[in-house]
Amino acid sequence: MVLAPPAVQAHPHVWVSVRSQYVFDAGGKIAGIRHSWTFDEMYSAFALQGLGKDGVPVETGLKALAKVNVTQLAEYGYFTLLRVGGRKMAFSGAKDQMITLDDKRNATLHFTLVLKQPIAAKPAAMLKVVDPSYYVAFDFAKKEPVTLTNAPKGCSISMVVPQPLTAAQRMRLEAVAGTNDSPGTDFGILLASSAIAACP
């Protein structure tokens, strides 16, 4: 299960349903982001090939797979963009990674990103989960896509959906359908929703 896009890209090759949590510390500041990414059926089947064979327990294989994935995701900033007051926040790394399987063997990767410096959600924090190249299509889940954990009283969360594509942008996307060409290095940003956390 390697999400890193190759040199030649196409749109999109992997679909991911995202649930995320803003994790607050005891002082009421954002300390990290907890992700749960559920991969599409086809990609899950590809990623899980060979698990449980050669005498290696599935649980052991999933643990190793989670570690490899989180390590490799670091090169791409974990496909996670967090801004507070317009400033881009930096992560010190990831922890608590694991992979779970549902009844249909769709894989969900769970991990927590730790901020280098906890920060208050003032005036607001904006979270996007996005692959700018649109090789991976990240979409927030329809039900409870983003939640607040240990947030101070009065904090709220709201979702902002992207503007519809223009005719030119739709043509750009359609032009590369079924090819190994990319619609552009910024195309994923155009389609990414934002999760806004605000605290009084």
Side-chain angles (χ1 to χ4, degrees):
M1 184 186 294
V2 179
L3 287 176
V8 177
Q9 301 168 338
H11 81 282
H13 279 185
V14 184
W15 286 262
V16 182
S17 177
V18 175
R19 283 192 168 89
S20 300
Q21 300 171 38
Y22 281 93
V23 180
F24 290 77
D25 64 14
K29 294 182 177 181
I30 301 171
I33 301 294
R34 177 70 177 167
H35 284 313
S36 294
W37 295 353
T38 301
F39 299 94
D40 66 82
E41 184 176 346
M42 185 177 297
Y43 189 75
S44 292
F46 166 76
L48 298 174
Q49 288 183 68
L51 283 183
K53 295 182 179 179
D54 300 322
V56 178
V58 171
E59 184 177 340
T60 301
L62 290 177
K63 185 176 180 179
L65 195 57
K67 184 175 181 179
V68 168
N69 271 265
V70 169
T71 299
Q72 294 183 343
L73 283 169
E75 183 179 351
Y76 299 90
Y78 305 97
F79 295 120
T80 301
L81 175 63
L82 178 66
R83 292 184 183 276
V84 179
R87 291 191 301 122
K88 184 178 179 180
M89 298 292 102
F91 298 104
S92 61
K95 66 177 185 177
D96 301 332
Q97 65 271 4
M98 62 182 292
I99 292 175
T100 58
L101 305 179
D102 64 17
D103 293 341
K104 297 181 180 179
R105 287 183 63 82
N106 289 330
T108 299
L109 174 65
H110 311 266
F111 61 101
T112 299
L113 296 175
V114 180
L115 281 173
K116 285 187 175 180
Q117 185 67 44
I119 187 168
K122 297 178 181 181
M126 182 199 72
L127 172 68
K128 288 180 182 282
V129 182
V130 59
D131 173 9
S133 72
Y134 202 46
Y135 179 85
V136 182
F138 290 98
D139 289 308
F140 282 114
K142 289 181 172 58
K143 184 178 181 181
E144 296 186 336
V146 183
T147 56
L148 305 175
T149 300
N150 299 325
K153 185 177 180 179
C155 293
S156 62
I157 192 79
S158 58
M159 302 299 297
V160 179
V161 298
Q163 295 291 322
L165 294 178
T166 65
Q169 289 166 342
R170 288 197 304 272
M171 289 179 63
R172 192 166 120 204
L173 188 60
E174 292 168 1
V176 299
T179 75
N180 282 330
D181 296 326
S182 169
T185 57
D186 63 343
F187 208 86
I189 297 290
L190 299 174
L191 297 170
S193 295
S194 301
I196 310 297
C199 293

